[in-house]
Amino acid sequence: ELHTQKKDMHVNAFRYLLAETVRDLARITADEGAQERLARDPFRVRDLQDWLAEGGRLEWLLPGMSDGTYVTFTVAGLLARIGRQCEAVLERHAAVAPERYNDDEAYRHTVAEMLDTRAAAVGTLRQYLENPGAPIEMVMRDTITTQRRAYLSFLERTLPTEGEARASAARRLCLAMGQSSADEADAEGFTPLMRAAADGAGA
């Protein structure tokens, strides 16, 4: 009974977090010019067979995005692709046996994965909006986890060299990495920028 309650609490919390994430993605899309970014994207229309050959899948497209010859990518399609990946993680958590939630290490992992899923969803959208080298067709072919790592790499790689612009960009990177300060060290003594370098984010 206690195992079931713990699982139910986690799954319900995850559902709430995903609903909040969907609202946040919609707000970011509206506030930060997603349609304008799409209009500048030279790869917003791709040959369907070429895209499939590069790893795309028909089930990742919304109805109407492909006419059988070409794919016309849309912001709604990108949001749906992000959302489906988040829901897949939730479904996997919901399928775990209740007893597994009584394992402290396993439970910590599920909570961490829940939070990482939200961060990956937001990071993927921001990767497309902010990185001109990330076309929508590529973002939709990839996983949100990989695109979040690419976004962190982009932020670290494009940090200004000095002044307030660097401080502002560093704060943005820290928030994207889940820490509140550029000088805040983790349990191993690494600051976010040091951790980014150690993880190869600048590669």
Side-chain angles (χ1 to χ4, degrees), residues 5 25 72 97 148 157 161 171:
Q5 288 180 356
L25 295 178
T72 301
R148 183 193 180 219
R157 196 170 60 245
T161 57
R171 285 193 293 271

Side-chain angles (χ1 to χ4, degrees), residues 79-102:
L79 294 178
R81 169 82 170 120
I82 293 171
R84 283 195 294 266
Q85 292 182 72
C86 294
E87 289 164 5
V89 180
L90 171 58
E91 290 168 4
R92 181 157 45 78
H93 285 205
V96 171
E99 294 77 13
R100 185 68 171 162
Y101 283 84
N102 202 43

Side-chain angles (χ1 to χ4, degrees), residues 20 29 31 54-56 62 64 76 83-84 89 93 100 106 111 122-123 127 129 134 137 144 176 187-188 200 203:
E20 184 180 68
T29 297
D31 292 350
E54 292 168 4
L62 290 178
R84 283 195 294 266
V89 180
H93 285 205
R100 185 68 171 162
V111 171
V122 174
Q127 160 78 340
L129 295 179
E137 62 87 14
I144 57 175
E188 296 178 281

Side-chain angles (χ1 to χ4, degrees), residues 13-76:
F14 204 158
R15 287 197 182 102
Y16 177 84
L17 186 67
L18 288 192
E20 184 180 68
T21 300
V22 168
R23 290 192 293 271
D24 286 345
L25 295 178
R27 175 185 54 77
I28 293 168
T29 297
D31 292 350
E32 301 190 20
Q35 293 296 342
E36 290 81 359
R37 166 68 174 100
L38 182 65
R40 297 191 303 271
D41 189 337
F43 298 101
R44 63 186 179 276
V45 178
R46 286 290 313 276
D47 179 274
L48 174 61
Q49 295 306 317
D50 287 348
W51 188 69
L52 293 176
E54 292 168 4
R57 295 186 183 178
L58 286 174
E59 59 263 34
W60 296 344
L61 304 176
L62 290 178
M65 286 179 63
S66 174
D67 61 4
T69 302
Y70 295 100
V71 182
T72 301
F73 294 95
T74 65
V75 173

